[in-house]
Amino acid sequence: MGKTKDITVNNDGTCTFIFKDDACGENGVFDPGANQVGLSIEGKGRASLVLSQHFFPILKDAGIQTHYISSNLEQGTMTCTKLSILPVEFIWRSKAWGSFCKMYGIEQGYPLNGLIEATLKDDALGDPRINKEACIKLGKLTEAQYDFCEEHTRKIGGILARELLKYGYELIDFKVEFGLDSKGGVTLADEISGDIWRVLDKDGKSVSPIECAKKICAGNY
């Protein structure tokens, strides 16, 4: 049972993701950077699914290994390769926003040009930031795993920023998860949707997952 998805493990080495309308945020305000469910948005689950269905193949074609196999829009599900999720998430930032501004006392919109951060995947601890050396010494990731995740987060950021720009959207930040497949290969996990990113339109207004889905995946939403 996840915050925005439930997951069923199948007997054939795959998992089924069931998308929900629950959304992360606080006080009824949607915030993709939050680590707790704060509201429910009707249609948000389908929006996340159709966006993931759209973007995972684009990333695969660009050489990014992902866990995505297929999706079923009628059932609201996505079938993926089963992974052992790594305990560290990676964040890409083009500009300072949200919690980053509060933490470092910097103005919103300050250019960061694809800054990469790592956070410990632990809701109870508030997903604290963690550096490469700490990851290695605490046994969270090997050096090779950290370098791979950092490099691929940067690549994913470039791809998503270019794709979203086609629709008049500016990618501000996003976070991704990685896992290990049955052979120990590091693989992109979770979803690629408005649940993981912060996007602005040409007027500088924040764009919701549903707005993104309607514009980018109009035929499926």
Side-chain angles (χ1 to χ4, degrees), residues 3-20:
K3 293 190 287 289
T4 60
K5 298 178 295 297
D6 294 336
I7 302 174
T8 299
V9 179
N10 307 315
N11 294 326
D12 61 354
T14 66
C15 292
T16 300
F17 285 58
I18 305 166
F19 285 74
K20 302 188 289 188

Side-chain angles (χ1 to χ4, degrees), residues 76-114:
T77 61
M78 183 170 74
T79 302
C80 302
T81 303
K82 180 183 176 183
L83 302 176
S84 297
I85 299 299
L86 295 171
V88 177
E89 296 178 328
F90 285 78
I91 301 171
W92 178 98
R93 298 184 185 275
S94 68
K95 292 181 178 179
W97 218 270
S99 62
F100 188 94
C101 297
K102 295 177 182 178
M103 175 166 289
Y104 296 110
I106 195 167
E107 70 273 16
Q108 184 169 286
Y110 185 89
L112 299 174
N113 304 315

Side-chain angles (χ1 to χ4, degrees), residues 46-91:
R46 183 178 178 86
S48 297
L49 176 56
V50 298
L51 286 167
S52 292
Q53 177 183 262
H54 177 83
F55 281 104
F56 269 124
I58 290 173
L59 293 174
K60 181 180 179 181
D61 289 344
I64 304 294
Q65 182 173 329
T66 83
H67 71 159
Y68 178 81
I69 298 174
S70 64
S71 57
N72 187 315
L73 297 182
E74 291 185 2
Q75 296 180 6
T77 61
M78 183 170 74
T79 302
C80 302
T81 303
K82 180 183 176 183
L83 302 176
S84 297
I85 299 299
L86 295 171
V88 177
E89 296 178 328
F90 285 78
I91 301 171

Side-chain angles (χ1 to χ4, degrees), residues 143-154:
E143 182 173 5
Q145 288 170 347
Y146 187 99
D147 290 344
F148 181 97
C149 293
E150 182 178 49
E151 177 187 357
H152 280 69
T153 300
R154 184 169 285 108

